[in-house]
Amino acid sequence: MRITDLVAVSGVLPLVSAVPSWAPLSRRQSASTITVDLSKTYQTIDGFGCSFAFQRANLITNMSDKTKQRQLLDLLFNTTSGAGLSIIRNGIGSSPDSSSDHMNTFAPKDPGGPKATPQYSWDGKDSGQLWLSKEAYDTYGVRQIYGDAWSAPGYMKTNRNENNGGTLCGVPGTNCQSGDWRQAYADYLVQYVKFYAEAGVPVTRIGFLNEPEFSPGYAGMNSNGAQAADFIKILYASFQAANLTEQVGIGCCESEGWGNQVNMVNAIKSAGAESMLAMVTSHTYTGGPGSPMNTRMSYNIFCVPVWLSEQCDLQGQWTTSWYGGGGAGEGLTWANNIYNALVNYNISGYLYWEGVQWPNPNTNEKMVRVDQQSPYNYEVSKRLWAFANWSRFVRPGAIRLGSSGGSGVKSAAFKNLDGSIAVVVISTGGSASNVSIKLNGGNATEATGWVTDQTHNCEKITVTVSGGTVTGSVAARSITTFHIPAAPADPTTRSEESLNGWKFA
């Protein structure tokens, strides 16, 4: 979604809500206890991230001031001084050129039909996204690289154009004189993965649609659920043939709104293609969730993770405010949005739209506003720091735990792969409160606390640990994360797994 097309859709962001107005400012919270139940588990977290599509990556990649370039990368990916984002969503190009903010394709020319040998021409840049992805992978340890195509190259579609909708030739309901382009498009996406691999960047997720119910004046491609399921089967078989299914998973369908995504999932399930998906992806521009997505479950755990893969405030004028009344672009609003997604709707991946963008349009669709020319001034929104309190401490592979209690706050708890516990606490009113965190099924031996509010950006606070319980203060209208390292293992009770060494999954 781009701001120029917002007039075509609803202006409401369903997951954005103001901080409750009923909480009296004068109320003082005495110490209250949050209980984390280590035996109660929910979804696995894939991570938090943003996109660098439509040449936004070039703002960083092409920056001649290497000091500011590194500062921006640190702000986005550093797990000790920045947001610690762990997912990158790149755009797979379909445009025959790179003018404006177009994402150029590496197959710009029709080779003469879907059976003809494709004429690939890889520029080694991918609109600046390859260099940025490699930096994120090599320097910051980002391991979830998601390539998402807004459209197939135009000659593969019913309208012969990357823009204005159109459908992939060959899926049910199409009849193209040029032929059936499904396998050629699948091969194209496989080749994209191979180009990145040659540069040392393993792509882990591939999407082949974006907002398939929308026909914008920029890159896009229409599809219903049955058509998506039809192509998923071909794409999955293509990854199998290339021996890539252990590395790459398929995502679908980046719907403009939750309701359409529910319908698409139902059709994909009916067609027997759900098991071929690594995740389900949705936006919320035309409607958000009222309940978790209807994906396959086993033992009450969602087997197909769900990502809110593009979230932002498209309408609001640029703001760096943390809280000024509950505006859609404010940092505290986004701390709450992420909470609602993870706790109420079992979301596994949460991505903002653009990580960086130039000042025009002067909206909140980005987290960092960056000038295109020297001296490359930039301004950081509090939305980035709201993400930091989640992403720096709730790492990929974390499992959400049961969490209850606390007065004047709400909480979410997670157990990371390294055994550490992250408890994210958000103040629900205008007064500070003291909280104690008790682990049901474990004991804390040490902990740290980190706060973001109007004057702090994920900064360390004082906490105490006594009798296995962590105690600290939660500032008014803040998000505070308590990080509890795993207790040292008793050397006399080390597991067989630890004795045999780690295995990378």
Side-chain angles (χ1 to χ4, degrees):
M1 178 68 65
R2 297 198 290 187
I3 186 65
T4 53
D5 293 272
L6 183 63
V7 293
V9 299
S10 166
V12 177
L13 293 179
L15 288 185
V16 175
S17 59
V19 174
S21 59
W22 45 259
L25 298 179
S26 60
R27 184 175 66 193
R28 295 297 177 201
Q29 302 292 345
S30 58
S32 59
T33 299
I34 295 171
T35 301
V36 176
D37 188 345
L38 300 181
S39 68
K40 185 176 290 186
T41 59
Y42 300 93
Q43 79 272 29
T44 298
I45 304 302
D46 290 328
F48 307 85
C50 65
S51 178
F52 296 95
F54 291 98
Q55 297 199 41
R56 273 54 169 185
N58 275 329
L59 274 174
I60 298 176
T61 299
N62 294 339
M63 189 171 285
S64 60
D65 186 330
K66 300 307 177 185
T67 298
K68 287 187 177 177
Q69 182 185 64
R70 182 57 56 190
Q71 289 171 356
L72 288 168
L73 290 168
D74 280 341
L75 279 166
L76 293 163
F77 302 117
N78 196 304
T79 56
T80 58
S81 64
L85 300 179
S86 53
I87 301 176
I88 288 176
R89 178 185 177 222
N90 289 325
I92 301 176
S94 55
S95 176
D97 61 70
S98 298
S99 62
S100 185
D101 63 355
H102 295 176
M103 298 182 289
N104 62 290
T105 175
F106 56 86
K109 296 180 179 180
D110 183 344
K115 303 296 184 182
T117 302
Q119 300 176 22
Y120 296 142
S121 179
W122 180 246
D123 64 7
K125 298 178 181 179
D126 196 31
S127 300
Q129 296 172 121
L130 179 57
W131 181 89
L132 190 148
S133 298
K134 187 165 176 58
E135 274 296 304
Y137 186 88
D138 290 344
T139 304
Y140 300 95
V142 174
R143 290 296 181 264
Q144 195 73 273
I145 308 295
Y146 172 30
D148 186 26
W150 268 241
S151 173
Y155 54 81
M156 297 185 182
K157 297 166 58 182
T158 55
N159 65 346
R160 304 286 293 177
N161 192 327
E162 65 159 339
N163 305 325
N164 305 312
T167 306
L168 178 65
C169 288
V171 298
T174 62
N175 183 17
C176 301
Q177 290 185 348
S178 62
D180 180 350
W181 287 88
R182 292 175 299 170
Q183 187 59 58
Y185 185 40
D187 293 343
Y188 177 77
L189 296 174
V190 169
Q191 186 60 47
Y192 171 86
V193 174
K194 291 180 177 180
F195 281 138
Y196 264 69
E198 289 169 3
V201 181
V203 172
T204 52
R205 296 289 183 269
I206 284 289
F208 58 95
L209 292 169
N210 181 75
E211 298 180 348
E213 69 271 48
F214 187 35
S215 299
Y218 53 88
M221 187 164 70
N222 300 138
S223 177
N224 60 35
Q227 291 168 333
D230 177 77
F231 182 70
I232 287 167
K233 294 175 182 179
I234 292 172
L235 181 58
Y236 186 81
S238 299
F239 281 134
Q240 281 185 316
N243 295 316
L244 287 171
T245 51
E246 293 297 316
Q247 172 189 320
V248 186
I250 301 170
C252 191
C253 306
E254 299 285 343
S255 287
E256 195 179 14
W258 188 268
N260 186 71
Q261 188 60 48
V262 169
N263 293 335
M264 294 195 77
V265 168
N266 284 335
I268 291 168
K269 291 166 72 172
S270 296
E274 187 189 19
S275 63
M276 300 175 188
L277 292 178
M279 83 273 199
V280 167
T281 55
S282 184
H283 310 169
T284 58
Y285 294 116
T286 58
S291 60
M293 184 64 68
N294 50 328
T295 55
R296 181 168 50 94
M297 296 180 66
S298 177
Y299 300 102
N300 294 321
I301 299 297
F302 290 89
C303 294
V304 182
V306 180
W307 291 11
L308 285 179
S309 49
E310 182 181 316
Q311 302 290 286
C312 77
D313 170 26
L314 282 173
Q315 295 184 92
Q317 289 297 293
W318 172 258
T319 181
T320 59
S321 172
W322 175 252
Y323 177 79
E330 294 174 357
L332 183 56
T333 297
W334 285 92
N336 280 291
N337 288 346
I338 298 172
Y339 173 91
N340 290 337
L342 271 60
V343 174
N344 296 330
Y345 306 117
N346 295 318
I347 296 301
S348 292
Y350 196 97
L351 285 73
Y352 205 76
W353 172 210
E354 298 286 11
V356 297
Q357 190 183 33
W358 38 84
N360 184 25
N362 195 36
T363 65
N364 294 318
E365 60 185 295
K366 57 266 192 180
M367 291 195 286
V368 184
R369 185 174 67 176
V370 184
D371 287 346
Q372 291 174 280
Q373 306 297 327
S374 180
Y376 304 110
N377 294 324
Y378 64 85
E379 190 172 29
V380 184
S381 73
K382 282 286 189 172
R383 296 181 294 281
L384 180 136
W385 296 112
F387 268 78
N389 268 76
W390 294 96
S391 190
R392 273 167 60 169
F393 307 101
V394 182
R395 301 303 296 164
I399 296 175
R400 185 165 71 87
L401 304 170
S403 175
S404 61
S407 178
V409 299
K410 56 186 179 182
S411 64
F414 306 84
K415 184 174 183 179
N416 287 302
L417 290 174
D418 64 2
S420 65
I421 306 294
V423 184
V424 183
V425 183
I426 299 176
S427 169
T428 58
S431 300
S433 58
N434 292 320
V435 298
S436 294
I437 298 172
K438 181 180 179 180
L439 303 181
N440 186 0
N443 285 300
T445 58
E446 58 179 311
T448 56
W450 305 81
V451 65
T452 295
D453 58 14
Q454 194 69 42
T455 57
H456 300 87
N457 296 327
C458 202
E459 296 174 24
K460 197 171 185 179
I461 62 171
T462 300
V463 301
T464 60
V465 181
S466 178
T469 297
V470 178
T471 302
S473 177
V474 176
R477 295 195 173 99
S478 72
I479 180 171
T480 302
T481 304
F482 296 91
H483 183 255
I484 305 168
D490 184 339
T492 63
T493 59
R494 289 177 64 192
S495 68
E496 181 180 348
E497 179 182 13
S498 67
L499 291 171
N500 291 336
W502 286 90
K503 291 184 179 179
F504 180 77

